[in-house]
């Protein structure tokens, strides 16, 4: 059964553009849960340009669903995650000045570092996922370094979907099969939308979780947050 985790970073972007607390990120997280989301995702960055470390500390004790914290495991991020102890941490190799995540890990090339980080988080009882490009060898390497799951970076799938969805999903299916065979859980995220989500889940129904933020919040501007979350859930749940 695939879960929908809503990334609320874009709500924080709007708040930060004016200062103050409008919209209220805490209320948005709770509303997402109330409207049916099965998880909340945040991606705090060192510059605090959207979700801030203080938001993470405030939101965690209020949630009744899974909390997923994404980010580059620099020392301050590691300390935050170990303090808050979410259900899941997703390791993303984004640079400090990255507008958004734009690549997965070279897991084998960073095996020593990622092994240490996975060990640290798992010692705190936190499920650890590694953000990877759709390459089977990256899933195998993630298993070797001790990850519990991988999250496939789905930007290329979304970008190529309209030109040919069957070809676009081929590397994702191959990677998902490898993850399944070696006992890794499977997440997916980045540019998944109402247009391309259904085919992804239909083809890879053992996906544990999709993390969706930008497209979902954009849709919510026109459809409303509750209707939008229900629309995304309808694309997922028909394959449960």
């Amino acid at each position: 059964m695939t879960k929908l985790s809503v990334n609320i970073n874009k709500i924080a972007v709007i708040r930060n553009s004016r200062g103050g607390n409008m919209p209220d990120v805490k209320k948005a997280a709770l509303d997402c849960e109330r409207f049916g989301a099965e998880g909340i995702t945040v991606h705090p960055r060192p510059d605090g340009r959207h979700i801030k470390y203080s938001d993470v500390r405030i939101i965690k004790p209020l949630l009744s669903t899974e909390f997923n914290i994404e980010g580059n495991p620099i020392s301050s991020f590691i300390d935050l995650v170990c303090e808050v102890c979410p259900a899941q941490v997703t390791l993303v190799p984004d640079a400090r000045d990255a507008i958004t995540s734009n690549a997965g890990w070279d897991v084998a090339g960073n095996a020593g570092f990622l092994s240490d980080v996975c060990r640290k988080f798992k010692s705190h009882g936190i499920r650890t996922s590694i953000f990877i490009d759709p390459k089977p060898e990256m899933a195998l390497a993630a298993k070797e370094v001790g990850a519990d799951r991988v999250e496939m970076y789905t930007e290329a799938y979304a970008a190529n979907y309209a030109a040919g969805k069957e070809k676009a999903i081929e590397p994702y299916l191959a990677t998902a099969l490898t993850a399944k065979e070696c006992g890794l859980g499977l997440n997916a995220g980045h540019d998944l939308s109402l247009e391309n989500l259904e085919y992804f889940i239909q083809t890879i129904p053992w996906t544990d979780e999709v993390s969706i933020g930008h497209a979902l919040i954009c849709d919510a501007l026109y459809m409303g947050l509750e209707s939008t979350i229900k629309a995304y859930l309808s694309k997922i749940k028909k394959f449960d």
Side-chain angles (χ1 to χ4, degrees):
M1 295 178 64
T2 306
K3 293 182 177 180
L4 171 64
S5 185
V6 175
N7 187 319
I8 60 172
N9 272 24
K10 288 299 184 295
I11 294 172
V13 169
I14 298 172
R15 176 199 63 186
N16 295 352
S17 70
R18 286 288 297 269
N21 193 41
M22 184 176 175
D24 185 334
V25 171
K26 176 181 69 176
K27 182 178 184 303
L30 295 175
D31 283 342
C32 287
E33 286 190 330
R34 183 162 58 89
F35 298 150
E38 296 144 312
I40 299 296
T41 291
V42 294
H43 189 145
R45 287 185 167 88
D47 61 9
R49 66 181 183 267
H50 34 62
I51 287 290
K52 302 177 184 297
Y53 280 25
S54 57
D55 292 323
V56 176
R57 295 184 175 97
I58 291 169
I59 292 169
K60 167 59 170 64
L62 303 176
L63 299 179
S64 57
T65 60
E66 287 197 349
F67 195 30
N68 172 44
I69 305 177
E70 300 178 341
N72 194 327
I74 60 175
S75 59
S76 60
F77 178 86
I78 292 172
D79 291 344
L80 175 71
V81 173
C82 290
E83 173 193 341
V84 171
C85 282
Q88 178 175 269
V89 60
T90 301
L91 311 182
V92 183
D94 52 350
R96 287 177 178 268
D97 59 350
I99 295 175
T100 186
S101 305
N102 55 20
W105 283 97
D106 173 3
V107 184
N110 293 275
F113 172 69
L114 290 172
S115 293
D116 290 343
V117 173
C118 287
R119 191 178 306 112
K120 173 81 169 179
F121 287 139
K122 291 174 74 172
S123 72
H124 284 73
I126 303 167
R127 184 173 69 234
T128 303
S129 178
I130 296 179
F131 195 65
I132 64 168
D133 294 317
K135 299 177 180 178
E137 63 268 26
M138 293 303 165
L140 291 171
K143 179 67 173 181
E144 289 297 314
V145 302
D148 300 298
R149 292 186 183 183
V150 290
E151 178 175 332
M152 295 194 296
Y153 172 44
T154 48
E155 189 274 337
Y157 164 73
N160 295 306
Y161 178 85
K165 60 187 180 182
E166 294 86 0
K167 184 172 181 59
I169 207 167
E170 282 179 2
Y172 294 90
L173 179 57
T175 305
L177 286 167
T178 298
K180 184 178 183 181
E181 289 165 1
C182 69
L184 283 173
L186 183 69
N187 298 339
H190 204 93
D191 288 349
L192 293 174
S193 68
L194 287 174
E195 177 185 10
N196 59 46
L197 178 60
E198 182 175 330
Y199 182 71
F200 189 93
I201 300 300
Q202 178 184 356
T203 308
I204 311 174
W206 62 92
T207 305
D208 291 297
E209 173 188 292
V210 288
S211 174
I212 305 177
H214 185 76
L216 189 151
I217 299 304
C218 288
D219 289 333
L221 293 175
Y222 296 93
M223 299 167 58
L225 186 58
E226 181 173 8
S227 295
T228 299
I229 289 175
K230 292 186 184 307
Y232 275 84
L233 288 169
S234 74
K235 298 292 185 181
I236 296 169
K237 298 308 176 185
K238 65 175 61 179
F239 302 109
D240 283 351

